[in-house]
Amino acid sequence: MSYTSTSNQDTILKVQDLDITYRLAYAGMDSIRDIFVKALTNPVKLLFKEKNQLELLKGLNFELKKGERLGLLGVNGTGKTSLCRTIAGMHGKSPNIFINGIVRAIFETSVVVQPELSGIENARILTNLIFHNHSRRDRDAIITDAVEFSELNEFIYTPFKHYSKGMKARHFLSIISARPCDLLIMDEVFSGADTFFNQKISKRVEEMIHDSGAVIFISHHNELIEKLCNRVIVLDEKKIVFDGSPSEGLEFYLKQTNGPHF
Amino acid sequence: MSLKSNFLKVYTLTLADMKGRYRNTFAGFLWVMFNPLIMFAVHSIVFKHILRLDVDRYFVFLLAGLLPWVFMTSTIQATANTFLTMRDVLMSFQINPLSLLFSKLLDNFINFIIPFFFLFFFVFFNEGIPLKGIAYLPLNLTLMLLMTLSLNILVSTLQVFYRDVQYVIQFGFSILYFLTPIFYPESLVPAQYQWIMRINPFYAVIKPFQNSLWNFNQTMLNESIVSASLFVAVVSAASYLTWKRKRNELYLYI
């Protein structure tokens, strides 16, 4: 995805005065039946019900330049994933986000598009969906490479519904790590794959990270943050509370959370 | 994102849906094809031969009314849960949720168009269809597709936030089935109840089919096309506004 270009060629991402707020007007009203019951029992309360809002981030500002690999830290619920989804354009186009180039964002690894179809067929589907801006020839090359790399062997021809979570993760990670991009966003992508494959895929993902223009990386493994990132941002109370080097950022975060219990 | 990229995504997902559904289940493929044919046959037998409904060229009438109704209602019901069943895909990487709905619509349309044309040729040679009316078929089908897509977006979005929407829809369709002139002509409806027909969005897009294929009348056809276009515009606007308003929270609730 590529939208509103930034002026500076070195700047891959510019986030300017970004607010992320969710309307939670549906709490306690999960069905039409609930609304119907409330409309009959207390119509006045229903009409004048105060809308709940969840304000996750407010007035966020930061830039990401070419070569920066940003580790995003923060306790659960501070808006890390929401920020990444917003940058990736999953919540629609934002006027507060400026991106130079193509963004690829990966949030979960056990993806099933069509469980009835085989691994190779799902690989074709995922490749078409993720690498839609690549040529047909390159997409074919990605599939061949991913199938070989995943070492799923004859399993690649069995229906996807028979795959274990680890096999699905192998399958998906082999595909997404095939090509770098301008801005790569990864949220806990190393979970799921088995230990041996984790080492193998880690190496390949690390290569992809280094080849990509800029990276935003979310992980609860601080050693990975320290190894892969050259900058850390810590989010807390709707804002950036730290922006600096990984070692200082992790120290700050550990102090903030009172120890390494994340 | 380019048109080519969007086309590739929708094409890939449509093909995946079709392959997934028919893999090892040829009977499933036959069922999807036969479903409208069986509905057509049952309605013909019950209303034409048993209840002896006095409707001229009843096969054409059913083709023009029943088949679009079956397509629209079955597509909306089948796709109501799309965002929830495709949660894994939506949560994993960037994909416009609407492309999932586009692909489901296309998949259902392909399943519809084959039996539709099968029956079309059957009634064309048995009862005759005016050639002038046939020329309006692409426009009528487009209006039907736009209405179905708009309702799909509306229903699938609301289903994420209110999990019983699909049951409400199912209940609503069973009532609307009797209130929509698809197996009886509108002329049988007493004047004081005609307003029910006029506010029915499904009938709004079915009527151009009836006016072009069954009782061709240029003036009535033009009026029904204008009315259908207005209904499509209103439902599309409602659907777009709902989508725009709820999209932000979609990922929290799926």
Side-chain angles (χ1 to χ4, degrees):
Chain A
M1 175 170 292
S2 170
Y3 43 92
T4 328
S5 291
T6 60
S7 52
N8 187 336
Q9 285 301 305
D10 274 348
T11 306
I12 301 269
L13 167 72
K14 190 173 179 182
V15 176
Q16 207 168 33
D17 286 327
L18 178 73
D19 296 345
I20 298 182
T21 304
Y22 293 116
R23 280 189 291 264
L24 300 176
Y26 324 102
M29 288 199 292
D30 299 330
S31 63
I32 301 283
R33 192 191 65 174
D34 289 343
I35 296 173
F36 178 75
V37 169
K38 284 202 166 82
L40 284 186
T41 51
N42 201 340
V44 179
K45 197 178 170 187
L46 181 74
L47 278 175
F48 297 100
K49 193 175 186 297
E50 203 173 297
K51 292 200 187 325
N52 297 325
Q53 287 210 330
L54 174 66
E55 194 176 54
L56 272 183
L57 295 166
K58 189 157 178 61
L60 211 68
N61 289 291
F62 70 94
E63 273 188 35
L64 209 55
K65 295 204 184 304
K66 206 170 178 180
E68 284 193 304
R69 301 186 298 276
L70 175 72
L72 214 49
L73 294 173
V75 292
N76 290 335
T78 43
K80 303 185 295 293
T81 301
S82 291
L83 173 63
C84 289
R85 286 194 203 284
T86 307
I87 291 169
M90 291 164 82
H91 293 192
K93 194 175 169 182
S94 169
N96 306 81
I97 292 169
F98 308 91
I99 293 171
N100 232 345
I102 306 284
V103 185
R104 194 179 313 139
I106 313 296
F107 296 90
E108 279 181 28
T109 52
S110 50
V111 194
V112 183
V113 183
Q114 266 301 339
E116 294 296 328
L117 300 186
S118 65
I120 186 94
E121 286 169 310
N122 271 285
R124 162 72 62 194
I125 297 166
L126 287 169
T127 307
N128 283 355
L129 296 177
I130 297 168
F131 299 97
H132 50 85
N133 50 344
H134 290 232
S135 69
R136 168 82 195 235
R137 184 175 290 189
D138 194 37
R139 291 200 304 272
D140 288 343
I142 290 170
I143 295 167
T144 311
D145 172 62
V147 166
E148 196 181 317
F149 184 83
S150 67
E151 295 182 20
L152 286 165
N153 305 322
E154 70 274 15
F155 278 107
I156 202 75
Y157 300 104
T158 59
F160 216 58
K161 62 185 175 186
H162 300 310
Y163 279 39
S164 65
K165 199 181 173 193
M167 286 162 78
K168 285 177 196 161
R170 263 193 208 201
H171 180 269
F172 186 59
L173 286 168
S174 301
I175 295 166
I176 58 130
S177 57
R179 296 286 181 275
C181 62
D182 298 310
L183 175 59
L184 180 67
I185 299 172
M186 296 196 297
D187 187 347
E188 291 291 358
V189 293
F190 290 103
S191 59
D194 52 68
T195 316
F196 163 72
F197 196 74
N198 221 338
Q199 287 168 0
K200 191 179 168 186
I201 196 73
S202 294
K203 196 167 172 282
R204 182 156 139 138
V205 171
E206 281 167 31
E207 282 168 16
M208 176 179 63
I209 286 174
H210 283 95
D211 292 343
S212 292
V215 179
I216 299 179
F217 188 71
I218 299 179
S219 177
H220 283 141
H221 298 283
N222 49 355
E223 66 277 15
L224 272 176
I225 296 273
E226 195 148 28
K227 186 179 169 189
L228 297 175
C229 303
N230 54 16
R231 181 181 166 192
V232 155
I233 278 181
V234 182
L235 296 175
D236 192 30
E237 302 203 335
K238 305 174 192 175
K239 59 184 190 292
I240 294 172
V241 290
F242 177 89
D243 187 351
S245 73
S247 53
E248 287 172 0
L250 282 164
E251 200 183 321
F252 179 90
Y253 180 58
L254 289 174
K255 268 186 197 161
Q256 195 193 31
T257 53
N258 297 320
H261 54 67
F262 44 93
Chain B
M1 199 181 298
S2 73
L3 195 66
K4 197 178 160 193
S5 282
N6 280 320
F7 176 78
L8 176 68
K9 284 182 181 181
V10 172
Y11 169 76
T12 302
L13 288 165
T14 307
L15 209 63
D17 277 345
M18 295 185 78
K19 273 178 153 181
R21 186 182 311 153
Y22 304 136
R23 178 61 46 93
N24 302 325
T25 55
F26 184 65
F29 171 75
L30 284 182
W31 171 249
V32 171
M33 293 296 161
F34 278 139
N35 189 20
L37 302 180
I38 292 166
M39 290 285 280
F40 185 88
V42 169
H43 278 74
S44 305
I45 293 165
V46 172
F47 294 107
K48 190 179 176 171
H49 298 291
I50 300 176
L51 295 175
R52 295 188 179 278
L53 203 63
D54 186 21
V55 179
D56 183 37
R57 293 159 65 236
Y58 195 63
F59 286 151
V60 183
F61 179 74
L62 278 184
L63 174 83
L66 183 70
L67 263 74
W69 165 267
V70 169
F71 167 73
M72 287 191 282
T73 53
S74 60
T75 303
I76 293 164
Q77 279 180 299
T79 55
N81 258 323
T82 299
F83 294 149
L84 298 169
T85 53
M86 298 297 276
R87 181 191 178 277
D88 276 358
V89 174
L90 288 173
M91 296 295 270
S92 300
F93 56 92
Q94 308 129 286
I95 181 164
N96 188 334
L98 296 184
S99 59
L100 298 173
L101 290 182
F102 275 112
S103 68
K104 302 258 181 231
L105 179 76
L106 263 182
D107 178 20
N108 277 279
F109 185 65
I110 293 165
N111 294 330
F112 157 81
I113 210 73
I114 298 169
F116 180 84
F117 276 107
F118 178 81
L119 286 171
F120 179 86
F121 287 113
F122 169 74
V123 298
F124 181 80
F125 290 113
N126 274 284
E127 295 181 336
I129 296 173
L131 291 174
K132 267 186 182 175
I134 295 172
Y136 285 88
L137 209 48
L139 177 62
N140 297 343
L141 288 169
T142 307
L143 287 169
M144 180 189 77
L145 277 174
L146 288 174
M147 176 63 90
T148 313
L149 178 66
S150 305
L151 287 168
N152 267 349
I153 296 170
L154 194 66
V155 169
S156 309
T157 307
L158 291 176
Q159 174 68 20
V160 172
F161 300 94
Y162 310 108
R163 299 294 168 105
D164 58 353
V165 165
Q166 60 175 328
Y167 303 116
V168 175
I169 291 289
Q170 206 173 357
F171 179 66
F173 283 168
S174 57
I175 294 169
L176 266 181
Y177 169 74
F178 293 103
L179 296 176
T180 309
I182 47 172
F183 58 86
Y184 59 87
E186 192 187 346
S187 54
L188 290 185
V189 180
Q192 70 264 35
Y193 298 116
Q194 289 278 338
W195 64 270
I196 299 174
M197 313 295 131
R198 284 196 289 273
I199 59 164
N200 182 341
F202 290 94
Y203 188 50
V205 290
I206 287 172
K207 208 170 171 180
F209 280 97
Q210 293 178 340
N211 285 337
S212 56
L213 301 178
W214 179 58
N215 57 342
F216 185 83
N217 177 310
Q218 192 66 58
T219 316
M220 281 168 65
L221 178 59
N222 292 346
E223 282 174 11
S224 61
I225 287 173
V226 170
S227 165
S229 307
L230 287 174
F231 263 96
V232 167
V234 169
V235 175
S236 303
S239 167
Y240 171 75
L241 291 173
T242 307
W243 170 247
K244 207 176 162 200
R245 189 174 158 78
K246 306 265 191 200
R247 180 182 184 167
N248 209 32
E249 283 78 30
L250 194 81
Y251 291 91
L252 281 188
Y253 286 81
I254 56 175

